[in-house]
Amino acid sequence: MTVHTASVPAPAAAPVRAARVASNETSGRALARAVAVETRKLVNTRTGPVLIAAAALLSGAFAGGRALFPTTGTDFGHLASMAVVPASMISMVLAVLLVAGEFSARTASVTLTLDPRRGRLVLAKSLTVLGLWVVATTLAVVAAALVMVVAPLITGVTLAWTFDVASLAVVAGNGAFLVLAGFAWALALRNAAAPIAFLLVWPTVAMLVGSISDTAARAMAFVAVDPLYELLPDATVAGPLAVVVAAMVWIVAPGTVGTLRLLRDDL
């Protein structure tokens, strides 16, 4: 007697791939929604708009002060570099407040209830502060351009629209480094005052310590909050290794500690 056995068809791969694509699209939309929520937190408080307005005014003031007393080397690149500095500092303050403010106000549990995926929350906040840095840097450059137009009407000195791409990129990159450092330390400490005060004071401390000797200056380059200057061709202190070490100290280590703490702790 012949026995016929029915073969069971293998599951098609297409539905599995479709499910994965749908899951990825859902995750992408959820991340975009989380970024939008975090962005709204920056502008829905009294502190956010005030600090953003202060960044715009200080960027214009820094660039304008340099343009009113120009030297032979004053050009658009110098003014833009001056304008980016206060914008970067205030962006760092906003990044710290975005993270630590929820722990100080005890609203972190509400945020995690609305979006329980804590890893996605950290990613959304990091993307938000990077977006903030892009906007602040762009506005600072625009402010420098406006100063380039207005300042000659007051001083009678025409300024050149020239700039060094590498130098301007390093200044902007240091701003991103500062913003991410503020984000990482706020995530680790869950406190706003300490990261802000420390990151604002540290450049002065590093400069004073570095003035003691060449060895001290070299050591301070490895823990600078503006380490990208070591990538310029005329850098002679520490070199690219200083950027890696500084990133580990200011961003990677505290960011890892803060993320692990958030993933494991009960809020």
Side-chain angles (χ1 to χ4, degrees):
M1 183 177 64
T2 303
V3 178
H4 298 279
T5 57
S7 59
V8 179
V16 176
R17 287 196 297 269
R20 290 177 179 176
V21 170
S23 177
N24 291 336
E25 291 178 351
T26 302
S27 299
R29 287 195 296 268
L31 178 60
R33 184 169 59 251
V35 171
V37 170
E38 297 301 324
T39 303
R40 185 184 299 177
K41 292 178 183 178
L42 289 174
V43 298
N44 274 7
T45 61
R46 294 180 180 179
T47 306
V50 170
L51 288 177
I52 293 172
L57 292 175
L58 288 175
S59 295
F62 273 55
R66 182 64 180 269
L68 292 178
F69 302 95
T71 61
T72 54
T74 302
D75 61 358
F76 176 68
H78 286 85
L79 298 187
S81 297
M82 293 292 293
V84 167
V85 172
S88 299
M89 290 183 177
I90 293 181
S91 296
M92 179 273 291
V93 173
L94 285 171
V96 171
L97 293 177
L98 180 65
V99 179
E102 291 193 322
F103 293 101
S104 301
R106 301 185 183 278
T107 59
S109 58
V110 177
T111 300
L112 293 175
T113 300
L114 296 175
D115 190 354
R117 296 196 176 185
R118 301 186 179 190
R120 184 167 61 199
L121 179 63
V122 173
L123 179 58
K125 286 183 179 292
S126 63
L127 292 176
T128 300
V129 299
L130 284 176
L132 171 66
W133 162 77
V134 171
V135 172
T137 302
T138 302
L139 292 177
V141 173
V142 171
L146 293 176
V147 170
M148 286 286 296
V149 175
V150 175
L153 302 178
I154 301 174
T155 62
V157 178
T158 302
L159 302 176
W161 286 87
T162 57
F163 60 93
D164 181 63
V165 176
S167 298
L168 190 56
V170 163
V171 173
N174 281 327
F177 188 96
L178 183 64
V179 169
L180 289 175
F183 170 80
W185 279 96
L187 192 62
L189 299 178
R190 299 183 179 180
N191 176 275
I196 292 173
F198 192 60
L199 288 170
L200 292 180
V201 171
W202 181 253
T204 302
V205 174
M207 181 182 65
L208 294 176
V209 174
S211 64
I212 297 175
S213 65
D214 292 340
T215 302
R218 183 179 179 84
M220 287 297 100
F222 286 92
V223 289
V225 292
D226 51 0
L228 270 67
Y229 285 120
E230 297 298 328
L231 299 179
L232 292 174
D234 57 349
T236 59
V237 178
L241 181 60
V243 180
V244 177
V245 175
M248 294 295 296
V249 171
W250 292 107
I251 300 176
V252 177
T256 301
V257 171
T259 301
L260 292 176
R261 185 182 177 189
L262 181 63
L263 294 175
R264 296 177 179 178
D265 286 1
D266 293 329
L267 297 177

